[in-house]
Amino acid sequence: MTIATANALLKTLEEPGVGTHFVLITHEAHRLLPTIVSRCQTVRFAPLSLDLVAEKLTSIAEIPLDQAQQIAILAEGSVGRGMVLIEQDVLTIRDELLDVLDGGAGSRPLSEILKFAEAVAKPNRRDLLPTTFHLLRTWYRDVLVVQSGLSAKQLVHSDRIEGLRAQAAGSSVGQITDLLSRLNQAESAIGDRMANARLVLENLFIKLTASRA
């Protein structure tokens, strides 16, 4: 909301009709006017347990439990997010993406990397880009988990443990955090600045796969 719109809402919040309740939902409360926040009761919603999300996804979408469990991890405690990921066929996207990242150094020629980036950048896949970036972040998050010596139970992609260990052994923490920063910059360039998706993704995947060398 603009400041003018927020102030108009503030007037409504101060003088609601009898028996009227407003429920304001946001994941960026820091962007609200302090005067609005001060007139509301804050209720924080924690993510649901992975077991509960997997159970609901299995029931609603009628998918195998093992698939539901993997999607529940990616959905980060949200049944609604999980349903969106199922509609997007997220497990297929994940396998295609991680097959590019999970492999020995130099296992894929540059022409193949560029071809993959071109496919990801196609207009008919534009709606899948947020999920693609989310999957990339979870991969490098897992690399950091391995580097930190934490339990494999903390991994999102536990079925790719060997590839994660290989990248963790061949990269420093600083290199992985740099790649995460590049991911954020690439997503912002495409989503916020409307940069050429193909060029941005080609540069990104060249950098990501080069990190395996």
Side-chain angles (χ1 to χ4, degrees):
M1 292 184 292
T2 64
I3 293 179
T5 303
N7 283 326
L9 175 62
L10 180 61
K11 180 69 173 178
T12 303
L13 291 175
E14 290 176 332
E15 300 177 4
V18 177
T20 300
H21 295 79
F22 294 98
V23 179
L24 310 182
I25 301 175
T26 181
H27 62 283
E28 296 182 323
H30 63 281
R31 298 183 63 182
L32 297 176
L33 290 181
T35 47
I36 288 182
V37 176
S38 67
R39 286 163 174 77
C40 298
Q41 176 182 351
T42 301
V43 180
R44 299 188 182 278
F45 293 87
L48 300 175
S49 71
L50 296 181
D51 288 341
L52 178 57
V53 174
E55 177 187 336
K56 294 297 183 183
L57 294 178
T58 299
S59 174
I60 297 171
E62 299 182 349
I63 60 174
L65 181 59
D66 59 335
Q67 293 182 19
Q69 290 172 333
Q70 182 63 59
I71 293 171
I73 295 173
L74 294 171
E76 299 179 330
S78 169
V79 175
R81 173 64 174 158
M83 291 301 297
V84 170
L85 293 176
I86 290 173
E87 292 175 2
Q88 293 179 341
D89 194 13
V90 67
L91 295 184
T92 297
I93 298 173
R94 184 195 84 115
D95 289 343
E96 292 175 349
L97 189 61
L98 297 192
D99 282 346
V100 173
L101 301 178
D102 180 7
S107 61
R108 288 177 178 266
L110 178 60
S111 60
E112 190 172 334
I113 298 299
L114 295 177
K115 184 177 180 179
F116 178 78
E118 179 183 2
V120 174
K122 287 183 176 179
N124 64 342
R125 294 191 56 162
R126 180 58 67 94
D127 291 344
L128 301 178
L129 284 180
T131 296
T132 299
F133 280 105
H134 175 56
L135 289 167
L136 287 169
R137 272 190 285 267
T138 57
W139 171 263
Y140 290 107
R141 174 260 185 204
D142 278 2
V143 174
L144 290 174
V145 168
V146 173
Q147 288 179 330
S148 301
L150 298 177
S151 169
K153 294 180 179 180
Q154 304 295 323
L155 298 175
V156 174
H157 307 288
S158 57
D159 58 322
R160 299 275 185 155
I161 183 63
E162 294 306 320
L164 290 167
R165 286 172 176 166
Q167 179 139 28
S171 308
S172 68
V173 172
Q175 287 174 320
I176 298 303
T177 54
D178 177 66
L179 291 178
L180 284 167
S181 177
R182 289 175 182 271
L183 282 174
N184 293 334
Q185 292 170 8
E187 185 173 29
S188 177
I190 296 172
D192 299 335
R193 299 195 298 276
M194 302 300 291
N196 185 296
R198 177 177 173 179
L199 293 178
V200 171
L201 290 171
E202 284 178 348
N203 288 329
L204 177 64
F205 280 108
I206 288 173
K207 179 61 179 179
L208 296 182
T209 53
S211 70
R212 295 303 312 268

